[in-house]
Coordinates of all heavy atoms in Angstrom, one line a residue:
M55 N 101.4 19.8 80.8 CA 102.1 19.3 79.6 C 102.0 20.2 78.5 O 100.8 20.8 78.1 CB 101.6 17.9 79.2 CG 102.0 16.8 80.1 SD 101.8 15.2 79.6 CE 100.2 15.2 79.0
N56 N 103.0 20.5 77.7 CA 103.0 21.3 76.5 C 102.8 20.4 75.3 O 102.7 19.1 75.4 CB 104.1 22.3 76.4 CG 105.5 21.6 76.4 OD1 105.7 20.5 75.7 ND2 106.5 22.2 76.8
R57 N 102.9 21.0 74.2 CA 102.6 20.2 72.9 C 103.4 19.1 72.6 O 103.1 18.0 72.0 CB 102.5 21.2 71.7 CG 101.4 22.2 71.6 CD 101.4 23.0 70.4 NE 102.4 22.9 69.6 CZ 102.7 23.6 68.6 NH1 101.9 24.6 68.3 NH2 103.9 23.5 67.9
N58 N 104.8 19.3 73.0 CA 105.7 18.1 72.5 C 105.8 17.3 73.7 O 106.8 16.3 73.6 CB 107.0 18.7 72.2 CG 107.8 19.3 73.1 OD1 107.3 19.9 74.1 ND2 109.0 19.6 73.0
Q59 N 105.0 17.2 74.7 CA 105.2 16.3 75.9 C 103.9 15.3 75.7 O 102.8 15.8 75.6 CB 105.1 17.0 77.1 CG 106.4 17.7 77.5 CD 106.4 18.4 78.8 OE1 105.3 18.7 79.5 NE2 107.7 18.5 79.3
I60 N 104.3 14.1 75.9 CA 103.2 12.9 75.9 C 103.6 12.1 77.0 O 104.7 12.0 77.6 CB 103.2 12.2 74.6 CG1 104.5 11.6 74.3 CG2 102.6 13.1 73.4 CD1 104.4 10.6 73.0
T61 N 102.7 11.1 77.4 CA 103.0 10.0 78.3 C 103.7 9.0 77.6 O 103.6 8.8 76.4 CB 101.8 9.5 79.0 OG1 100.9 9.0 78.0 CG2 101.1 10.6 79.9
L62 N 104.5 8.2 78.3 CA 105.4 7.2 77.7 C 104.6 6.1 76.9 O 105.0 5.6 75.9 CB 106.3 6.6 78.7 CG 107.2 5.5 78.3 CD1 108.2 6.1 77.2 CD2 108.1 5.0 79.4
N63 N 103.4 5.7 77.4 CA 102.5 4.7 76.7 C 102.1 5.2 75.5 O 101.5 4.4 74.7 CB 101.5 4.2 77.7 CG 100.5 5.3 78.1 OD1 100.7 6.5 78.0 ND2 99.3 5.0 78.2
Q64 N 102.1 6.5 75.1 CA 101.6 7.0 73.8 C 102.8 7.0 72.7 O 102.6 7.3 71.7 CB 101.2 8.4 74.0 CG 99.9 8.4 74.8 CD 99.5 9.9 75.1 OE1 100.4 10.7 75.3 NE2 98.2 10.1 75.1
L65 N 104.1 6.8 73.2 CA 105.2 6.9 72.3 C 105.3 5.7 71.4 O 105.3 4.5 71.8 CB 106.6 7.0 73.1 CG 107.7 7.3 72.4 CD1 107.8 8.6 71.8 CD2 108.9 7.2 73.4
P66 N 105.2 5.9 70.0 CA 105.3 4.7 69.2 C 106.6 4.0 69.2 O 107.7 4.5 69.4 CB 105.2 5.3 67.7 CG 105.1 6.7 67.9 CD 105.3 7.1 69.3
V67 N 106.6 2.7 69.0 CA 107.7 1.8 68.9 C 108.7 2.4 67.9 O 108.4 2.7 66.7 CB 107.4 0.4 68.5 CG1 108.5 -0.5 68.2 CG2 106.5 -0.3 69.7
G68 N 110.0 2.4 68.3 CA 111.1 2.9 67.3 C 111.3 4.4 67.5 O 112.4 4.9 66.8
S69 N 110.6 5.2 68.1 CA 110.9 6.5 68.4 C 111.6 6.7 69.6 O 111.6 5.8 70.5 CB 109.6 7.4 68.5 OG 108.5 6.8 68.3
K70 N 112.2 7.9 69.9 CA 112.9 8.1 71.2 C 112.4 9.4 71.6 O 112.0 10.4 71.0 CB 114.5 8.3 70.9 CG 115.1 7.0 70.4 CD 116.5 7.3 70.0 CE 117.2 5.9 69.6 NZ 118.5 6.1 69.3
A71 N 112.5 9.4 73.0 CA 112.1 10.7 73.8 C 112.9 10.8 75.0 O 113.5 9.8 75.5 CB 110.7 10.6 74.2
N72 N 112.8 12.0 75.6 CA 113.5 12.1 76.9 C 112.5 12.4 78.0 O 111.5 13.1 77.9 CB 114.5 13.4 76.9 CG 115.6 13.1 76.0 OD1 116.1 12.0 75.9 ND2 115.9 14.1 75.2
V73 N 112.7 11.8 79.2 CA 111.8 12.0 80.3 C 111.9 13.4 80.8 O 112.9 14.0 80.9 CB 112.4 11.0 81.4 CG1 111.6 11.2 82.8 CG2 112.3 9.6 81.1
T74 N 110.8 13.9 81.2 CA 110.6 15.3 81.6 C 110.0 15.2 83.1 O 110.4 16.1 83.8 CB 109.7 16.2 80.8 OG1 108.5 15.6 80.5 CG2 110.5 16.4 79.5
M75 N 109.2 14.2 83.4 CA 108.6 14.2 84.7 C 107.8 12.9 85.1 O 107.5 12.2 84.2 CB 107.4 15.4 84.6 CG 106.6 15.4 85.8 SD 105.3 16.8 85.7 CE 104.8 16.6 84.2
L76 N 108.0 12.6 86.3 CA 107.2 11.4 86.8 C 106.0 11.8 87.6 O 106.1 12.8 88.5 CB 108.2 10.6 87.7 CG 109.4 9.9 87.2 CD1 110.1 9.2 88.4 CD2 109.0 8.9 86.1
T77 N 104.9 11.4 87.3 CA 103.6 11.6 88.1 C 103.1 10.6 89.1 O 102.4 10.8 89.8 CB 102.6 12.1 87.1 OG1 102.2 10.8 86.3 CG2 102.8 13.2 86.1
S78 N 104.0 9.6 89.1 CA 103.6 8.6 90.2 C 104.2 9.0 91.4 O 105.1 9.8 91.6 CB 104.3 7.2 89.7 OG 105.6 7.4 89.5
D79 N 103.8 8.2 92.4 CA 104.4 8.4 93.8 C 104.5 7.0 94.5 O 104.3 5.9 94.0 CB 103.4 9.3 94.5 CG 102.1 8.7 94.6 OD1 101.7 7.7 94.1 OD2 101.1 9.5 95.4
G80 N 105.1 7.1 95.6 CA 105.4 5.9 96.4 C 106.3 5.0 95.9 O 107.3 5.4 95.3
T81 N 106.0 3.6 96.0 CA 107.0 2.5 95.6 C 107.2 2.6 94.1 O 108.2 2.3 93.6 CB 106.5 1.2 96.0 OG1 105.2 0.9 95.6 CG2 106.4 1.1 97.6
T82 N 106.0 2.9 93.4 CA 106.1 3.0 91.9 C 107.3 4.1 91.4 O 108.1 3.8 90.7 CB 104.9 3.2 91.2 OG1 104.0 2.3 91.7 CG2 105.0 3.2 89.8
R83 N 107.1 5.2 92.1 CA 108.1 6.2 91.8 C 109.6 5.9 92.2 O 110.6 6.0 91.4 CB 107.7 7.5 92.5 CG 108.6 8.7 92.2 CD 108.1 10.0 93.0 NE 109.1 11.1 92.9 CZ 108.9 11.9 91.8 NH1 107.9 11.6 91.0 NH2 109.7 12.9 91.6
R84 N 109.7 5.3 93.3 CA 110.9 4.7 93.8 C 111.6 3.8 92.9 O 112.7 3.9 92.6 CB 110.8 4.2 95.2 CG 112.1 3.7 95.8 CD 113.0 4.8 96.4 NE 114.1 5.2 95.6 CZ 114.7 6.2 95.5 NH1 114.4 7.1 96.2 NH2 115.8 6.4 94.6
R85 N 110.7 2.9 92.4 CA 111.2 1.9 91.4 C 111.7 2.5 90.0 O 112.9 2.1 89.6 CB 110.1 0.7 91.2 CG 110.6 -0.2 90.2 CD 109.5 -1.2 89.9 NE 109.9 -2.2 88.8 CZ 109.3 -2.2 87.7 NH1 108.2 -1.6 87.6 NH2 109.8 -3.1 86.8
M86 N 110.9 3.5 89.4 CA 111.4 4.1 88.4 C 112.6 4.8 88.6 O 113.6 4.9 87.7 CB 110.3 5.2 88.0 CG 109.0 4.5 87.4 SD 109.2 3.5 86.0 CE 109.3 1.7 86.7
L87 N 112.8 5.6 89.6 CA 114.0 6.3 89.9 C 115.3 5.3 90.1 O 116.4 5.5 89.5 CB 114.0 7.2 91.2 CG 112.9 8.3 91.1 CD1 112.7 8.9 92.5 CD2 113.4 9.2 90.1
D88 N 114.9 4.2 90.6 CA 116.1 3.2 90.8 C 116.4 2.6 89.5 O 117.7 2.2 89.3 CB 115.6 2.0 91.7 CG 115.6 2.5 93.3 OD1 116.1 3.5 93.6 OD2 114.9 1.6 93.9
L89 N 115.5 2.5 88.6 CA 115.9 2.0 87.1 C 116.6 3.0 86.3 O 116.8 2.8 85.2 CB 114.6 1.5 86.5 CG 113.9 0.3 87.1 CD1 112.6 -0.1 86.5 CD2 114.8 -0.9 87.0
G90 N 116.7 4.2 86.8 CA 117.3 5.3 86.1 C 116.3 6.3 85.2 O 116.8 7.0 84.5
V91 N 115.1 6.1 85.6 CA 114.1 6.9 84.9 C 114.1 8.3 85.5 O 113.2 8.6 86.4 CB 112.7 6.2 84.8 CG1 111.7 7.2 84.1 CG2 112.8 4.9 84.1
V92 N 115.0 9.2 85.2 CA 115.1 10.6 85.8 C 114.9 11.6 84.6 O 115.1 11.2 83.4 CB 116.3 10.7 86.7 CG1 116.2 9.8 87.9 CG2 117.5 10.5 85.8
N93 N 114.8 12.8 84.9 CA 114.8 13.8 84.0 C 115.9 13.8 83.0 O 117.1 13.7 83.5 CB 114.8 15.2 84.6 CG 113.4 15.6 85.2 OD1 112.4 14.8 85.1 ND2 113.3 16.7 86.0
G94 N 115.8 13.8 81.7 CA 116.7 13.7 80.6 C 117.0 12.5 80.1 O 117.7 12.3 79.2
T95 N 116.6 11.4 80.8 CA 116.8 10.1 80.5 C 116.2 9.8 79.1 O 115.1 10.0 78.9 CB 116.4 9.0 81.3 OG1 117.2 9.2 82.6 CG2 116.7 7.6 81.0
E96 N 117.0 9.1 78.1 CA 116.3 8.9 76.9 C 115.8 7.5 76.9 O 116.4 6.6 77.4 CB 117.5 8.8 75.7 CG 117.0 8.7 74.3 CD 118.0 8.7 73.2 OE1 118.7 7.6 73.0 OE2 118.2 9.7 72.7
I97 N 114.6 7.4 76.4 CA 113.8 6.1 76.4 C 113.3 5.7 74.9 O 112.8 6.7 74.4 CB 112.6 6.2 77.4 CG1 113.2 6.4 78.8 CG2 111.8 4.9 77.3 CD1 112.0 6.4 79.8
E98 N 113.4 4.5 74.6 CA 113.0 4.0 73.4 C 112.2 2.8 73.5 O 112.7 1.8 74.0 CB 114.2 3.7 72.4 CG 113.8 3.3 71.0 CD 115.0 2.8 70.3 OE1 116.0 3.1 70.7 OE2 114.8 2.5 69.0
P99 N 110.8 2.7 72.9 CA 110.1 1.6 73.1 C 110.6 0.6 72.0 O 110.8 1.0 70.8 CB 108.7 2.0 72.7 CG 108.6 3.5 72.6 CD 110.1 4.0 72.5
L100 N 110.9 -0.6 72.3 CA 111.5 -1.6 71.4 C 110.4 -2.5 70.9 O 110.3 -2.8 69.7 CB 112.6 -2.4 72.1 CG 113.8 -1.6 72.5 CD1 114.8 -2.6 73.3 CD2 114.5 -0.9 71.3
Y101 N 109.7 -3.2 71.7 CA 108.7 -4.2 71.4 C 107.4 -3.9 72.2 O 107.4 -3.6 73.4 CB 109.2 -5.6 71.7 CG 110.6 -5.9 71.2 CD1 111.6 -5.8 72.2 CD2 111.0 -5.9 69.9 CE1 112.8 -6.0 71.8 CE2 112.2 -6.3 69.5 CZ 113.3 -6.2 70.3 OH 114.5 -6.5 70.0
R102 N 106.2 -4.3 71.6 CA 105.0 -4.3 72.1 C 104.5 -5.7 72.2 O 104.5 -6.3 71.2 CB 104.1 -3.4 71.4 CG 103.0 -2.8 72.2 CD 102.2 -1.7 71.3 NE 103.0 -0.5 71.2 CZ 102.9 0.5 72.1 NH1 102.3 0.3 73.3 NH2 103.6 1.6 71.9
S103 N 104.0 -6.2 73.3 CA 103.6 -7.5 73.3 C 102.2 -7.6 72.5 O 101.7 -6.6 72.2 CB 103.2 -7.9 74.7 OG 102.0 -7.3 75.2
P104 N 101.9 -8.9 72.0 CA 100.7 -8.9 71.2 C 99.4 -8.3 71.8 O 98.6 -7.8 71.0 CB 100.4 -10.4 71.1 CG 101.9 -11.0 71.3 CD 102.5 -10.1 72.2
S105 N 99.2 -8.4 73.0 CA 98.1 -7.6 73.7 C 98.3 -6.2 73.9 O 97.3 -5.4 74.3 CB 97.8 -8.4 75.0 OG 98.8 -8.2 75.9
G106 N 99.5 -5.7 73.7 CA 99.9 -4.2 73.8 C 100.4 -3.9 75.2 O 100.7 -2.8 75.5
N107 N 100.3 -4.9 76.2 CA 100.7 -4.6 77.5 C 101.5 -5.9 78.0 O 100.8 -6.9 78.1 CB 99.5 -4.3 78.3 CG 99.9 -3.7 79.7 OD1 100.9 -3.2 79.8 ND2 98.9 -3.8 80.5
P108 N 102.7 -5.9 78.5 CA 103.6 -4.7 78.7 C 104.3 -4.4 77.3 O 104.3 -5.0 76.3 CB 104.6 -5.1 79.7 CG 104.7 -6.6 79.5 CD 103.3 -7.1 79.1
V109 N 105.2 -3.2 77.4 CA 106.0 -2.8 76.4 C 107.5 -2.9 76.8 O 107.8 -2.6 78.1 CB 105.7 -1.3 75.9 CG1 106.6 -0.9 75.0 CG2 104.2 -1.4 75.4
A110 N 108.3 -3.3 76.0 CA 109.9 -3.3 76.3 C 110.5 -2.1 75.9 O 110.4 -1.6 74.8 CB 110.6 -4.5 75.7
Y111 N 111.2 -1.3 76.9 CA 111.8 -0.2 76.6 C 113.2 -0.2 76.9 O 113.7 -0.9 77.8 CB 111.3 0.9 77.6 CG 109.8 1.3 77.5 CD1 108.9 0.6 78.2 CD2 109.4 2.1 76.4 CE1 107.5 0.9 78.2 CE2 108.0 2.5 76.4 CZ 107.1 1.9 77.2 OH 105.8 2.2 77.0
L112 N 114.1 0.4 76.0 CA 115.5 0.5 76.2 C 115.8 1.9 77.1 O 115.4 2.9 76.5 CB 116.2 0.8 74.8 CG 117.7 0.8 74.8 CD1 118.3 -0.5 75.5 CD2 118.3 1.1 73.5
I113 N 116.2 1.6 78.3 CA 116.5 2.6 79.2 C 117.9 2.5 79.8 O 118.3 1.5 80.4 CB 115.5 2.7 80.4 CG1 114.0 2.6 79.8 CG2 115.8 3.7 81.4 CD1 113.0 2.4 81.0
R114 N 118.8 3.5 79.4 CA 120.2 3.4 79.9 C 120.8 2.2 79.7 O 121.6 1.6 80.4 CB 120.2 3.7 81.3 CG 119.7 5.1 81.6 CD 120.0 5.6 83.2 NE 119.6 6.8 83.4 CZ 120.4 7.8 83.5 NH1 121.7 7.7 83.4 NH2 120.0 9.1 83.7
G115 N 120.7 1.6 78.4 CA 121.3 0.4 78.0 C 120.7 -1.0 78.4 O 121.3 -2.0 78.1
A116 N 119.7 -0.9 79.2 CA 119.0 -2.0 79.7 C 117.5 -2.1 79.1 O 116.9 -1.0 79.0 CB 118.9 -2.1 81.1
V117 N 117.1 -3.4 78.8 CA 115.7 -3.5 78.3 C 114.8 -3.8 79.4 O 115.1 -4.8 80.1 CB 115.6 -4.7 77.3 CG1 114.3 -4.8 76.7 CG2 116.6 -4.3 76.0
I118 N 113.8 -2.9 79.6 CA 112.9 -3.1 80.8 C 111.5 -3.1 80.3 O 111.1 -2.2 79.5 CB 113.2 -1.9 81.8 CG1 114.6 -2.0 82.3 CG2 112.1 -1.9 82.9 CD1 115.1 -0.8 83.0
A119 N 110.7 -4.1 80.8 CA 109.3 -4.2 80.5 C 108.4 -3.4 81.5 O 108.6 -3.6 82.7 CB 108.9 -5.7 80.3
L120 N 107.7 -2.4 81.0 CA 106.7 -1.7 81.9 C 105.3 -1.9 81.4 O 104.9 -1.9 80.2 CB 107.1 -0.2 81.8 CG 108.5 0.2 82.2 CD1 108.6 1.7 81.9 CD2 108.7 -0.2 83.7
R121 N 104.4 -2.1 82.3 CA 102.9 -2.1 82.1 C 102.4 -0.8 81.7 O 103.2 0.3 82.1 CB 102.2 -2.7 83.3 CG 102.6 -4.1 83.6 CD 101.6 -4.8 84.7 NE 101.5 -3.7 85.8 CZ 102.2 -3.6 86.9 NH1 103.3 -4.5 87.1 NH2 102.0 -2.7 87.8
S122 N 101.4 -0.7 81.1 CA 100.8 0.7 80.7 C 100.4 1.5 81.9 O 100.5 2.7 81.8 CB 99.6 0.5 79.8 OG 98.6 -0.1 80.3
D123 N 100.0 0.9 83.0 CA 99.6 1.7 84.2 C 100.8 2.4 84.7 O 100.7 3.4 85.3 CB 98.8 0.8 85.1 CG 99.6 -0.3 85.8 OD1 100.6 -0.9 85.0 OD2 99.6 -0.5 87.0
V124 N 102.0 1.8 84.6 CA 103.2 2.6 84.9 C 103.7 3.5 84.0 O 104.0 4.6 84.2 CB 104.3 1.5 85.3 CG1 105.7 2.1 85.7 CG2 103.8 0.6 86.4
S125 N 103.7 3.2 82.7 CA 104.3 4.0 81.7 C 103.4 5.2 81.4 O 104.0 6.3 81.0 CB 104.5 3.2 80.4 OG 103.3 2.7 79.7
E126 N 102.2 5.2 81.8 CA 101.3 6.3 81.6 C 101.6 7.4 82.6 O 101.2 8.5 82.5 CB 99.8 6.0 81.7 CG 99.2 5.7 83.0 CD 97.9 5.2 83.1 OE1 97.2 5.0 82.0 OE2 97.3 5.0 84.1
K127 N 102.5 7.1 83.6 CA 102.7 8.1 84.7 C 104.2 8.8 84.4 O 104.7 9.3 85.2 CB 102.6 7.5 86.1 CG 101.2 6.9 86.3 CD 100.9 6.9 87.7 CE 99.5 6.5 87.7 NZ 98.9 6.5 89.1
I128 N 104.8 8.4 83.2 CA 106.0 9.0 82.9 C 105.8 9.9 81.7 O 105.3 9.6 80.7 CB 107.1 7.8 82.5 CG1 107.3 7.0 83.6 CG2 108.3 8.4 82.1 CD1 107.9 5.7 83.2
V129 N 106.1 11.2 81.9 CA 105.8 12.2 80.9 C 107.3 12.3 80.1 O 108.3 12.5 80.9 CB 105.5 13.4 81.4 CG1 105.3 14.5 80.4 CG2 104.1 13.4 82.2
V130 N 107.2 12.2 78.8 CA 108.4 12.5 78.0 C 108.2 13.5 76.9 O 107.2 14.0 76.6 CB 108.6 11.1 77.2 CG1 109.0 10.0 78.1 CG2 107.6 10.8 76.3
S131 N 109.4 14.0 76.5 CA 109.4 15.1 75.5 C 109.8 14.5 74.2 O 111.0 14.0 74.2 CB 110.3 16.2 76.1 OG 110.5 17.2 75.0
V132 N 109.2 14.7 73.2 CA 109.6 14.3 71.9 C 110.0 15.4 71.0 O 109.5 16.6 71.2 CB 108.4 13.4 71.2 CG1 108.2 12.3 71.9 CG2 107.2 14.3 71.0
S133 N 111.0 15.3 70.2 CA 111.5 16.3 69.4 C 110.8 16.3 67.9 O 110.3 15.5 67.5 CB 113.0 16.4 69.3 OG 113.5 15.1 69.2

């Protein structure tokens, strides 16, 4: 990862970033691909639950909640 790349769980609410890589495998990777989490997809964290897990993300016009163990395997590029 370079300087402007972070994992999705580190992205603050209200910022936007683009997916650069998935580090998960198996069924979790397949689920992310099915949801449209592919290279270049813009993702925006909308809401964080009171406990901080899960977080609601805006992905391709849909709001999807992801746990931190899943979102930490999605690498995004911030500008």
Side-chain angles (χ1 to χ4, degrees):
M55 281 194 310
N56 62 30
R57 287 185 353 190
N58 67 339
Q59 290 184 333
I60 59 172
T61 57
L62 184 58
N63 64 328
Q64 297 172 322
L65 189 64
V67 171
S69 3
K70 294 180 182 180
N72 292 320
V73 174
T74 57
M75 178 175 39
L76 291 177
T77 60
S78 60
D79 57 1
T81 57
T82 303
R83 181 181 181 82
R84 181 78 251 159
R85 178 174 174 247
M86 292 299 99
L87 294 172
D88 289 344
L89 291 172
V91 180
V92 296
N93 285 351
T95 300
E96 184 176 84
I97 296 183
E98 177 184 0
L100 298 176
Y101 312 103
R102 203 172 288 279
S103 72
S105 66
N107 195 20
V109 176
Y111 296 94
L112 181 62
I113 304 172
R114 296 184 178 261
V117 177
I118 298 170
L120 298 176
R121 296 184 318 266
S122 62
D123 64 322
V124 174
S125 61
E126 73 185 4
K127 301 208 177 186
I128 300 171
V129 179
V130 295
S131 175
V132 292
S133 41

